[in-house]
Amino acid sequence: MTFYVTTPIYYVNAQPHLGHAYTSIAADVIARHHRRRGEDTFFLTGTDEHGEPVADAARAQGIEPREWADINAAKFKALLPAIGVEPDFFIRTTDAEHKRRVQDVLQRVHDNGHVYKGIYEGWYCPRCADFKTEAEIADGNRCPIHEIELTREREENWFFRLSAFQERIERLFADRADFVRPARARNEAQAFIAQGLQDISLSRGRLEWGVQVPWDEGHVFYVWFDALLNYYTALGYARPGEDLTARYWPAQLHLVGKEILKFHTIYWPAMLWAAGLEIPEHVFVHGFLQGSDGRKMSKSLGNGLDPFEVLERFGVDALRFYLFRDVSFGADGNVGMDSVAARYESELANEYGNLVSRTLAMIARYRDGLLPDASPEPELERWLSGLAGEVAGAFDAVDLSGALELIWQRVRRLNRYVEESKPWELAREPAHSAALETALATLHLGLSAVTVELAPYMPGTCALVSAALQATPIEPIPPLFPKRDR
Ligand code: ME8
């Protein structure tokens, strides 16, 4: 069984921030989970380097787009090890291999009769690189996402006959209720479809920074098609001398933020059909991380959470845990340093960290570090053995917060079990030796089960704990989540 998961490729017009880290960590958690399930997993991320957003930003710096893209792509790449994200490939849309494949696929779309030349006239947001329909225009003729004034565009473009896919898209949504999740996102996509799909620009005549249209060299492809195709082209050249396309396409899961839903759930399947290719299985649309004041994070409001500050104060695993614990994955949510500190102390240090240190210390002290050869407490054992299946079910629904909650219920139950069984009292009486061994065996089993499931979220921490649980003799380890200054 294969599992192919992707993040959006990020525009190199700006610096990476917590929002980018969020989707990348989510995909990494999912990839690690599926790898552990024994699936042949491929995880792709990268950078989107063509089009107006990048050309405009480079111009503002007085440098060539390629140079600007190189500088910023390096920053996106460098962020990954810092946040514990290990993709199988990092694509840049300026890769020659990507560009050649974009031309091949879109040439097929052309040859299959899905394009024509026409005049585009309408409203456009250069920051979204998006041609807005009437329903997508905010008051004052502004972009509802960037709040900047839209520009009026009139140019001769190649068009993609999206309107011809109206029925097929409707059928897709009717037949595959889980093509787009969660339901709120699916409803939004369906509302857009219900307005009637209009043909869209496939090329831009006035831009130079892009992939050349092979049948009309004065044009470059509209950046969104160049960008979307990354999910497909990467498989062709990620491994030198090997084509992974047959092995991993179609993708199981595209993760995207809610502002790019239309491109992934409507334009993308239509484009793939037009090229004669299979469409992905699922698109999961997550919400926005917002400042602690509930407004979209922005530099000017100063309400953002700086990922580098969190990394420095609390470490990478605390950041990874926090993002899916404090904000329900799929919904919008507020984030802030105070709530990171609170979760760190109450859940990581006092709950999981405490369970680890008590379990290791008691096995070391009461049984010289040797795991007792006793059966665990049957009722708890049964409950613990259900964990892997329940967590897998949550992951299949891309419910990263739900899976974490299932794990956390066990962490809390195990801490209560320590309080109830009181191993320190049992240890005083040789007559209670069997009960002590049951308690220690139960805690060892429980902590092992919890740690295996938690590992995709907190890989470094869980590797330490797993090693400590398997050591002979078992010995205490230094605190995993030491006290921090608030
Ligand atoms: O849209 N909260 O790139 P982009 C949560 N290049 N996620 C956030 C976020 C926030 N506040 N801010 C950003 C593009 N993201 C295109 C994509 S794909 C073929 C092309 C995440 O640099 C989220 O995943 O604007 C969002 O969709 C993505 O970054 C947008 O990154």
Side-chain angles (χ1 to χ4, degrees):
M1 199 159 156
T2 58
F3 190 84
Y4 176 27
V5 59
T6 67
T7 72
I9 49 171
Y10 306 113
Y11 282 132
V12 289
N13 56 341
Q15 312 285 321
H17 58 70
L18 187 69
H20 305 121
Y22 184 51
T23 319
S24 298
I25 294 173
D28 185 75
V29 170
I30 292 168
R32 287 176 191 267
H33 170 87
H34 282 273
R35 253 182 234 126
R36 196 183 49 70
R37 271 159 75 169
E39 292 167 18
D40 173 10
T41 301
F42 196 83
F43 162 26
L44 180 72
T45 187
T47 42
D48 187 357
E49 307 191 4
H50 291 129
E52 250 147 338
V54 177
D56 288 352
R59 196 172 312 120
Q61 300 293 318
I63 60 176
E64 287 300 310
R66 175 71 210 215
E67 199 183 331
W68 177 249
D70 286 345
I71 294 169
N72 281 313
K75 292 182 187 162
F76 278 92
K77 217 168 178 172
L79 175 67
L80 300 178
I83 55 178
V85 170
E86 293 176 2
D88 293 291
F89 189 60
F90 187 97
I91 188 171
R92 298 183 57 187
T93 55
T94 48
D95 294 344
E97 294 271 30
H98 167 75
K99 293 196 278 186
R100 190 169 60 72
R101 286 174 170 80
V102 167
Q103 290 177 324
D104 286 351
V105 174
L106 293 176
Q107 180 74 51
R108 254 184 280 161
V109 172
H110 168 273
D111 296 349
N112 291 343
H114 298 291
V115 312
Y116 61 93
K117 206 164 196 177
I119 302 282
Y120 176 81
E121 180 156 14
W123 297 103
Y124 182 77
C125 170
R127 292 273 299 285
C128 293
D130 187 11
F131 301 94
K132 301 290 179 186
T133 65
E134 289 302 322
E136 292 177 302
I137 299 174
D139 284 351
N141 219 18
R142 285 170 188 278
C143 168
I145 297 164
H146 294 100
E147 298 176 8
I148 57 173
E149 259 188 70
L150 298 174
T151 60
R152 189 74 187 169
E153 296 283 331
R154 185 188 149 82
E155 61 179 41
E156 191 175 45
N157 285 339
W158 287 92
F159 276 78
F160 171 56
R161 236 181 267 281
L162 179 66
S163 58
F165 290 90
Q166 176 82 28
E167 265 180 43
R168 197 160 172 193
I169 291 271
E170 283 173 4
R171 223 177 321 123
L172 166 67
F173 277 77
D175 293 349
R176 281 166 50 178
D178 60 0
F179 175 59
V180 179
R181 288 179 295 195
R184 194 178 348 92
R186 183 176 66 241
N187 294 340
E188 191 183 325
Q190 283 182 299
F192 186 87
I193 297 162
Q195 292 165 25
L197 298 177
Q198 296 165 18
D199 295 344
I200 49 175
S201 289
L202 176 71
S203 76
R204 306 293 313 276
R206 285 214 309 265
L207 271 187
E208 286 171 13
W209 180 235
V211 178
Q212 220 173 44
V213 175
W215 64 86
D216 186 348
E217 291 180 355
H219 283 240
V220 296
F221 285 114
Y222 172 41
V223 64
W224 266 100
F225 290 116
D226 160 10
L228 286 163
L229 276 165
N230 91 87
Y231 303 130
Y232 179 77
T233 63
L235 296 175
Y237 70 98
R239 295 285 167 272
E242 195 183 355
D243 191 331
L244 302 175
T245 314
R247 180 157 152 203
Y248 293 115
W249 193 260
Q252 274 58 52
L253 181 62
H254 294 315
L255 287 184
V256 300
K258 64 180 183 178
E259 82 289 11
I260 54 176
L261 167 127
K262 168 178 84 174
F263 301 98
H264 284 83
T265 64
I266 300 168
Y267 296 3
W268 179 223
M271 181 60 61
L272 286 166
W273 283 327
L277 296 170
E278 282 187 80
I279 66 166
E281 285 180 20
H282 305 291
V283 179
F284 187 87
V285 182
H286 66 66
F288 278 147
L289 298 180
Q290 300 162 158
S292 41
D293 54 0
R295 299 169 70 180
K296 191 161 187 274
M297 286 191 285
S298 88
K299 275 213 177 101
S300 52
L301 291 173
N303 61 351
L305 179 61
D306 177 3
F308 296 101
E309 197 183 334
V310 178
L311 291 172
E312 201 178 292
R313 289 180 60 187
F314 299 102
V316 55
D317 284 353
L319 172 67
R320 292 171 62 104
F321 168 82
Y322 170 77
L323 289 174
F324 304 102
R325 187 68 177 151
D326 217 47
V327 178
S328 177
F329 193 59
D332 296 337
N334 303 349
V335 293
M337 202 49 105
D338 288 349
S339 51
V340 180
R343 292 271 179 192
Y344 179 88
E345 193 176 312
S346 66
E347 298 191 326
L348 291 179
N350 295 349
E351 295 183 336
Y352 182 67
N354 196 21
L355 178 65
V356 171
S357 56
R358 297 208 276 188
T359 302
L360 298 175
M362 291 191 296
I363 297 173
R365 186 171 325 141
Y366 304 138
R367 283 296 177 272
D368 294 329
L370 300 179
L371 177 63
D373 185 18
S375 300
E377 201 279 311
E379 200 184 316
L380 260 179
E381 185 183 17
R382 219 172 311 116
W383 195 53
L384 289 165
S385 69
L387 180 63
E390 288 176 38
V391 167
F395 268 88
D396 288 343
V398 202
D399 185 3
L400 300 191
S401 303
L404 202 44
E405 174 57 24
L406 291 166
I407 298 166
W408 226 254
Q409 286 168 3
R410 268 69 171 188
V411 170
R412 290 189 171 147
R413 179 69 190 90
L414 288 164
N415 273 325
R416 279 206 310 281
Y417 179 72
V418 176
E419 302 301 329
E420 290 161 11
S421 59
K422 297 188 177 58
W424 50 92
E425 288 185 5
L426 300 176
R428 279 191 223 123
E429 298 283 336
H432 293 149
S433 172
L436 175 63
E437 299 212 330
T438 300
L440 296 180
T442 305
L443 288 172
H444 188 276
L445 175 83
L447 182 57
S448 303
V450 159
T451 300
V452 164
E453 299 305 331
L454 203 52
Y457 299 86
M458 305 203 293
T461 302
C462 293
L464 285 177
V465 176
S466 290
L469 285 167
Q470 284 158 35
T472 33
I474 289 172
E475 290 172 343
I477 55 176
L480 294 168
F481 305 101
K483 280 252 178 294
R484 307 279 183 187
D485 303 334
R486 275 224 164 184

